[in-house]
Amino acid sequence: MIASLANVAPHPGTAAQGSAIVSVRNIKKTYPGGVEALSGITLDFPEGQLTTLLGPSGCGKTTLLKIIAGLLPATSGEVLVGGRTVTGPGPERSFVFQDFALMPWASVLRNVAFGLELRGVRKSEREAIAVGHIAKVGLKGFEYKYPHELSGGMRQRVGLARALAVDSAVIMMDEPFSAVDEQTRRKFQEDLLGLIANEKKTFLFVTHSIEEAVYVSDRIVLLSRRPSRVSTIIEPKLDRSGDPEGIRRDPAYLDAVEGIWQSLKKYLD
Amino acid sequence: MPVAATNDFTEPAVAPVASSTSLRQIASHPLTLRFVSFGLLLVAWEYAGRIPISVAFPTFLETMRGLLDMAGDGSLLKAFLITLKPLIAGLMISIALGVGLGLLMGLSRFSEWLLGPIFIIAQAAPLAALIPVLTFAYGIGLTAKIMTVCIMAMPVIVMNTLSAVRNTPVSLVEMGRAFLGTRSQIITRIILPAASPMIFAGLRLGAAAAFIGIVLAELLITPTGIGDLISYHQSVADYPKMYASIFSIIVFSVLFIECLERVETVLFRPEKHAS
Ligand SMILES: Nc1ncnc2c1ncn2[C@@H]1O[C@H](COP(=O)(O)OP(=O)(O)O)[C@@H](O)[C@H]1O
Ligand SMILES: [Mg+2]
């Protein structure tokens, strides 16, 4: 990819904590064939926060995330990352895929180290880094297993470790838990909160589950039905310092879930 | 190879299990079924030869005696060496060119538009009918035989490689782009390994077609190698040796194709050892 070489890493001096590291400016996307997925999205993603795109299935969440990732061209509008226009994928962004996108012929270790492998990092060095991230996502001891030997939840942990391993400032996650069963999903959500607290990165998270959005997010962007626009932005102020189970009983959590449900309801008729 | 992790998957067979369970393991092993069905076929052959269904149909044991004779006097080895030359040459050319063209067509719509129709027709047409034309164009030497192998083997290799490349999961390629892979990295580290099972399926079919091609060429163009052994022993009515020659080339081609499968697993799909 020649385009990706043009994308420069964020310049640390200019972006203060809380200011927008990713800015989406009037993005429109019409797929060839005439499906209008996004009709003018303008959004800021504050640095160091987890912002969730929440909306009904088919409203264009994946489309927006892939445009930000530089994997899909927008029809019009622009995306700025660290103040620079996105023309393709870049080292300051990494992606966690809905369907995991693991290479079945590669061990967990090679999958996690793959981003570094593509960047030409020496084998011993990248494997040392990967081993650390494998442990961080709770897969210590599974380094030499292959994806088909792992459960869905474990596979997505590999996907997350791969995104962490390249040490990008922004991590994008497209419905990372949608292919994972309910129990695993709750455990994973709790672990994710711990990881986020330690990582000091900006997360862009996509989900269609209200509970999941409220549980993990600092900010929630509600998208309307296709062609999609930003309808509301909600900032659930939850106390995440206590035990992760407690959050689900926190009145603020329950209020936020109810509030979002009320605003989404009007799109249902 | 991640030896440490695969140990617990490969070792149980060695453990001192009770004899009844190990018997059951042997019975359920996929190889056992193959040997049993192969064995039944040989018994049926022996029986049919003893009826006999035709004077020109030897029993299995007579055929094996013929095989040992030919192996002993060196004529079998000599014939194989002659047959293998155009076979291997033709197969190498078909694999290199076929996989190359298939990749090219899989990666570029223009080259598919340009070349696709030729191979679609070639795959469907009874190309053995072209052997007289090849003889006319290239004479009766090695070239015509190599060409025969190529026209038989190449189309299926090309078409399988093309659809293998087309079937690479979109999200894996997207993953490669997201993690800043260059075009050539994405081709060699994602598309090729993802396509390798289907490419190798094409190679196995191509190799089988190549064996058909070489035997046809050796019977139709000029009798050499195994084709010569078959037609010579037929002409002197030494049917056990004639069948032994046919038997040997069939066994050889089956083993050859089996080997291709091993090569694939070792080179591209390490996860198949692990499970
Ligand atoms: N490659 C494509 N070609 C045409 N339409 C598409 C394509 N990808 C997605 N769409 C359409 O765009 C809309 C938004 O899709 P998507 O972004 O995947 O939604 P979400 O992720 O919110 O479920 C859907 O209606 C979908 O059918
Ligand atoms: Mg989606």
Side-chain angles (χ1 to χ4, degrees):
Chain A
M1 291 269 347
I2 294 155
S4 65
L5 297 176
N7 302 313
V8 189
H11 22 121
T14 56
Q17 180 73 23
S19 72
I21 183 167
V22 177
S23 299
V24 172
R25 297 271 163 265
N26 200 23
I27 286 285
K28 294 185 179 157
K29 176 69 186 179
T30 305
Y31 278 106
V35 178
E36 190 187 6
L38 305 170
S39 65
I41 302 260
T42 299
L43 256 182
D44 279 341
F45 295 88
E47 183 164 11
Q49 296 203 351
L50 189 150
T51 306
T52 293
L53 300 171
L54 176 65
S57 283
C59 77
K61 305 181 295 292
T62 299
T63 305
L64 180 56
L65 209 61
K66 285 194 174 157
I67 289 172
I68 297 172
L71 294 170
L72 196 67
T75 309
S76 67
E78 69 172 347
V79 175
L80 301 168
V81 176
R84 298 180 189 222
T85 306
V86 162
T87 53
E92 71 290 343
R93 283 160 287 149
S94 59
F95 208 98
V96 178
F97 292 84
Q98 185 168 6
D99 63 354
F100 318 136
L102 300 181
M103 301 177 293
W105 58 87
S107 65
V108 167
L109 184 61
R110 180 158 181 232
N111 267 297
V112 171
F114 194 63
L116 298 167
E117 179 183 333
L118 292 178
R119 274 161 224 204
V121 176
R122 269 202 358 264
K123 189 171 165 126
S124 56
E125 193 180 329
R126 67 180 190 244
E127 290 191 342
I129 296 173
V131 163
H133 289 284
I134 290 168
K136 210 181 276 181
V137 298
L139 287 180
K140 205 174 168 56
F142 289 89
E143 288 82 358
Y144 296 101
K145 295 278 190 250
Y146 286 88
H148 72 266
E149 299 172 271
L150 306 180
S151 68
M154 290 157 91
R155 286 182 212 176
Q156 195 52 294
R157 285 168 192 266
V158 177
L160 179 60
R162 176 175 60 195
L164 291 172
V166 294
D167 197 23
S168 57
V170 179
I171 294 184
M172 289 174 268
M173 309 174 85
D174 186 8
E175 304 207 28
F177 307 139
S178 66
V180 167
D181 63 79
E182 184 60 27
Q183 290 89 322
T184 325
R185 175 197 281 244
R186 282 204 171 202
K187 181 75 174 69
F188 203 159
Q189 289 166 354
E190 287 170 14
D191 294 354
L192 184 67
L193 287 184
L195 274 172
I196 294 168
N198 296 327
E199 285 289 333
K200 306 266 172 286
K201 291 180 187 302
T202 308
F203 287 84
L204 275 54
F205 191 92
V206 161
T207 184
H208 63 250
S209 155
I210 301 174
E211 283 82 3
E212 182 168 290
V214 177
Y215 187 74
V216 301
S217 317
D218 298 310
R219 288 169 89 236
I220 300 170
V221 176
L222 289 190
L223 296 175
S224 65
R225 275 254 181 89
R226 188 168 60 81
S228 172
R229 321 177 125 276
V230 175
S231 75
T232 329
I233 295 178
I234 294 156
E235 302 200 4
K237 297 261 183 284
L238 304 186
D239 174 21
R240 292 203 170 78
S241 56
D243 91 289
E245 270 304 310
I247 298 174
R248 292 187 214 275
R249 292 187 297 270
D250 184 343
Y253 167 84
L254 297 168
D255 287 349
V257 170
E258 185 56 26
I260 293 172
W261 171 233
Q262 291 306 331
S263 22
L264 279 180
K265 234 181 186 170
K266 59 175 178 274
Y267 299 117
L268 292 180
D269 353 282
Chain B
M1 265 317 320
V3 176
T6 57
N7 271 349
D8 42 348
F9 287 91
T10 50
E11 261 171 15
V14 188
V17 278
S19 62
S20 66
T21 54
S22 65
L23 260 181
R24 207 172 304 143
Q25 273 178 354
I26 292 169
S28 63
H29 196 281
L31 267 183
T32 313
L33 193 67
R34 272 203 241 176
F35 278 121
V36 168
S37 76
F38 194 60
L40 282 178
L41 186 73
L42 295 184
V43 169
W45 178 1
E46 181 68 24
Y47 179 72
R50 283 184 192 215
I51 294 176
I53 54 170
S54 153
V55 283
F57 188 74
T59 67
F60 171 64
L61 292 175
E62 282 166 359
T63 307
M64 286 305 105
R65 216 167 299 127
L67 190 65
L68 283 179
D69 285 351
M70 287 193 298
D73 66 16
S75 59
L76 191 65
L77 181 67
K78 217 170 86 198
F80 260 93
L81 289 180
I82 293 170
T83 299
L84 282 181
K85 207 193 290 172
L87 176 71
I88 298 297
L91 199 54
M92 290 303 224
I93 295 171
S94 304
I95 291 176
L97 217 58
V99 172
L101 284 175
L103 279 179
L104 188 70
M105 285 159 65
L107 295 171
S108 120
R109 294 274 166 188
F110 173 74
S111 43
E112 190 195 358
W113 173 84
L114 195 69
L115 301 169
I118 302 173
F119 288 101
I120 291 170
I121 294 169
Q123 204 186 3
L127 286 181
L130 285 180
I131 293 176
V133 182
L134 290 175
T135 322
F136 183 73
Y138 298 102
I140 56 169
L142 196 59
T143 321
K145 287 177 183 148
I146 293 177
M147 291 295 285
T148 309
V149 172
C150 287
I151 61 165
M152 296 294 289
M154 203 141 72
V156 65
I157 296 177
V158 172
M159 294 314 288
N160 261 58
T161 307
L162 167 62
S163 45
V165 171
R166 281 293 152 74
N167 281 322
T168 309
V170 178
S171 75
L172 278 187
V173 175
E174 215 160 49
M175 182 277 291
R177 291 211 293 134
F179 286 96
L180 307 180
T182 61
R183 179 88 174 137
S184 67
Q185 282 179 321
I186 290 173
I187 291 171
T188 56
R189 294 177 208 210
I190 295 176
I191 295 179
L192 273 181
S196 79
M198 224 174 145
I199 293 178
F200 270 86
L203 294 189
R204 287 196 294 274
L205 292 173
F211 275 92
I212 297 172
I214 194 60
V215 172
L216 278 178
E218 288 194 329
L219 289 174
L220 293 180
I221 300 177
T222 40
T224 50
I226 291 294
D228 183 36
L229 276 190
I230 296 172
S231 44
Y232 171 75
H233 288 120
Q234 185 194 21
S235 67
V236 299
D238 189 344
Y239 295 114
K241 282 189 179 166
M242 172 190 157
Y243 274 82
S245 314
I246 299 172
F247 182 79
S248 67
I249 188 78
I250 292 176
V251 169
F252 185 81
S253 94
V254 169
L255 291 179
F256 185 89
I257 289 164
E258 195 75 13
C259 281
L260 266 181
E261 206 165 333
R262 294 287 148 83
V263 169
E264 187 217 344
T265 323
V266 170
L267 280 185
F268 289 106
R269 307 300 293 219
E271 86 275 15
K272 297 209 175 129
H273 301 299
S275 53

